[in-house]
């Protein structure tokens, strides 16, 4: 069990962030916010995949003017992403936005920040102090021979500068992020700020990259911090359709036993012992049970060598043999079928498991259960 860093709870719409609440999954739309129909479609798609807060870019007046319609029809809370022009933040607040993101690297006039805070106080709207390593405040002149401070120090200083302005106005509806592309920099910045402020932290590796590399980079950076108990909400930032970000977020949370949405698929690596066509079977199993949407652990094993050990904890699974395979539940075999029938049998047994989860009685009798240790030989042991 991971012991999480204590943080102040914050309400963003109807979602609680921090204060021990479940870690929240976020993403950001890639549509033109000024097109509310397209943006709402994408928000709905993200919500259906398990996204719980969505951020929208507000780069201009046209985008700000679309916010009232977005707020009125969104299925999840919205955060307005504001850069450079504080007046757009004021417009977002008037539109009823659920939260703001301000970048202290590009709104540096304290009076403009205070104007936003006064309006946020009136509406009781939270503000994310969102620092990016790529848009930090300029450094003051350095003395001859003086080295610039490390980037993660500059990130923390930028966050503390804006947090101080907010606190001086008795405003504490604050969330903080310190994102960088470089994972060690990002991790160091979050570790530092976590010890200095009580506010919830939004984790992410900014501009993480294309789906393969970006998912790995995000999983490492976000995963390190979550494993240390740091972080209250996450976003995986990929150069892809934002829908691709949500399953990665959930996979990170599931891998650390923090939250689960949908199935966990346990599949053995391919090797010379395989005696069934494992890869397409595993892909079809993942597709079906993901669509089913239940928090099951489903194992797909190419032979009986790994089945008894690695898959004993699975709610449901299959282990292959020579043209045949067994369907098992919680370490007990319930049936043996031909390879061509493995997927159908697994789905059928999965329906029974789901029915039991929902309170129905559809399990086989104890007499039908066979210990995995008594599996027939032929699985390439």
């Amino acid at each position: 069990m991971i012991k999480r860093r204590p943080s102040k709870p914050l309400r963003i719409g109807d979602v609680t962030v921090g204060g021990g609440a479940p870690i929240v999954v976020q993403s950001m739309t890639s549509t033109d916010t000024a097109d509310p129909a397209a943006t709402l479609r994408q928000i709905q798609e993200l919500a259906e995949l398990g996204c719980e807060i969505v951020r929208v870019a507000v780069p201009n007046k046209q985008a700000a003017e679309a916010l009232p319609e977005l707020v009125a029809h969104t299925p999840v809370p919205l955060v307005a992403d504001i850069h450079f022009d504080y007046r757009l933040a004021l417009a977002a607040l008037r539109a009823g936005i659920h939260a703001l993101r301000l970048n202290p690297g590009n709104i540096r006039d304290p009076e403009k920040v205070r104007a936003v805070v006064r309006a946020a106080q009136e509406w009781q709207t939270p503000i994310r102090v969102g620092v990016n390593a790529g848009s930090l405040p300029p450094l003051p002149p350095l003395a001859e021979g003086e080295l610039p401070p490390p980037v993660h120090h500059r990130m923390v200083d930028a966050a503390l500068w804006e947090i101080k302005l907010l606190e001086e106005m008795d405003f504490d509806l604050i969330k903080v992020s310190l994102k960088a592309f470089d994972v060690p920099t990002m991790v160091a910045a979050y570790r530092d700020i976590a010890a200095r402020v009580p506010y919830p932290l939004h984790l992410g590796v900014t501009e993480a990259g294309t789906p393969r590399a970006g998912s790995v980079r995000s999983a490492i950076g976000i995963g390190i911090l979550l494993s240390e108990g740091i972080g209250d909400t996450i976003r995986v930032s990929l150069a892809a359709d934002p829908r691709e970000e949500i399953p990665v977020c959930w996979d990170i949370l599931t891998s650390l036993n923090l939250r689960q949405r949908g199935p966990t698929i346990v599949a053995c690596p391919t090797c010379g012992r395989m005696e069934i066509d494992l890869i397409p079977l595993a892909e079809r199993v993942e597709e079906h049970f993901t669509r089913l949407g239940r928090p099951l652990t489903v194992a797909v094993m190419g032979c009986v060598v790994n089945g008894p050990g690695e898959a004993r904890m699975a709610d449901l699974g299959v282990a292959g043999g020579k043209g045949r395979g067994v369907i098992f539940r919680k370490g007990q075999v319930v049936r043996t079928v031909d390879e061509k029938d493995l997927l159908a049998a697994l789905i059928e047994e999965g329906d029974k498991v789901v029915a039991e989860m929902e309170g129905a009685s559809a399990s086989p009798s104890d007499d039908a259960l066979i210990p995995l240790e008594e599996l027939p030989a032929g699985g390439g042991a």
Side-chain angles (χ1 to χ4, degrees), residues 65-344:
E65 289 172 345
L67 291 179
E69 184 172 352
L70 297 182
V71 171
H73 296 98
T74 179
V76 295
L78 299 182
V79 179
D81 195 55
I82 307 296
H83 295 268
F84 303 109
D85 191 342
Y86 79 104
R87 294 171 297 179
L88 296 173
L90 298 176
L93 290 168
R94 288 193 295 270
I97 201 71
H98 303 103
L100 293 174
R101 180 275 176 105
L102 302 180
N103 185 339
N106 53 41
I107 301 180
R108 294 296 296 168
D109 185 334
E111 286 308 311
K112 292 177 179 178
V113 176
R114 292 187 183 105
V116 174
V117 175
R118 282 192 290 271
Q121 281 177 321
E122 179 181 349
W123 291 90
Q124 285 295 284
T125 304
I127 294 175
R128 167 153 74 96
V129 176
V131 178
N132 269 9
S135 57
L136 292 172
L139 280 170
L142 299 175
E144 185 176 352
E146 182 183 5
L147 296 175
V151 172
H152 70 274
H153 286 175
R154 294 178 59 199
M155 294 171 68
V156 171
D157 287 346
L160 292 175
W161 173 83
E162 186 158 285
I163 290 170
K164 185 172 182 290
L165 286 177
L166 273 56
E167 289 177 335
E168 287 174 347
M169 299 181 69
D170 294 323
F171 185 88
D172 65 353
L173 304 179
I174 299 170
K175 182 173 61 167
V176 184
S177 67
L178 302 99
K179 297 186 179 183
F181 169 80
D182 181 68
V183 171
T185 297
M186 168 260 196
V187 169
Y190 277 107
R191 283 173 174 165
D192 191 347
I193 201 75
R196 293 172 179 252
V197 300
Y199 305 114
L201 299 179
H202 169 69
L203 304 185
V205 177
T206 192
E207 301 150 352
T210 53
R212 181 182 63 82
S215 296
V216 172
R217 190 171 286 113
S218 296
I220 291 172
I222 294 171
I224 287 172
L225 292 164
L226 290 178
S227 71
E228 296 175 359
I230 297 171
D232 302 283
T233 174
I234 65 173
R235 181 200 174 187
V236 170
S237 301
L238 301 178
D241 187 308
R243 289 176 295 183
E244 295 193 38
E245 300 178 356
I246 310 307
V248 183
C249 289
W250 282 102
D251 284 345
I252 292 170
L253 296 177
T254 300
S255 297
L256 291 168
N257 295 329
L258 290 167
R259 291 186 75 184
Q260 183 175 352
R261 182 182 189 274
T264 298
I265 306 298
V266 180
C268 64
T270 56
C271 75
R273 290 193 300 266
M274 283 194 309
E275 294 178 324
I276 60 171
D277 196 5
L278 176 76
I279 295 173
L281 176 61
E283 290 174 347
R284 293 174 70 188
V285 167
E286 182 175 47
E287 179 184 358
H288 172 79
F289 284 95
T290 297
R291 188 167 58 248
L292 196 63
R294 298 297 193 277
L296 299 172
T297 299
V298 184
V300 183
M301 297 294 162
C303 72
V304 298
V305 172
N306 283 339
E310 295 294 335
R312 183 178 302 281
M313 82 305 191
D315 297 300
L316 178 70
V318 57
K322 291 181 177 178
R324 306 198 77 197
V326 294
I327 307 298
F328 54 87
R329 292 175 55 181
K330 294 292 187 183
Q332 302 292 316
V333 174
V334 295
R335 59 197 292 192
T336 302
V337 297
D338 292 336
E339 180 178 351
K340 66 181 177 59
D341 298 321
L342 284 174
L343 180 63

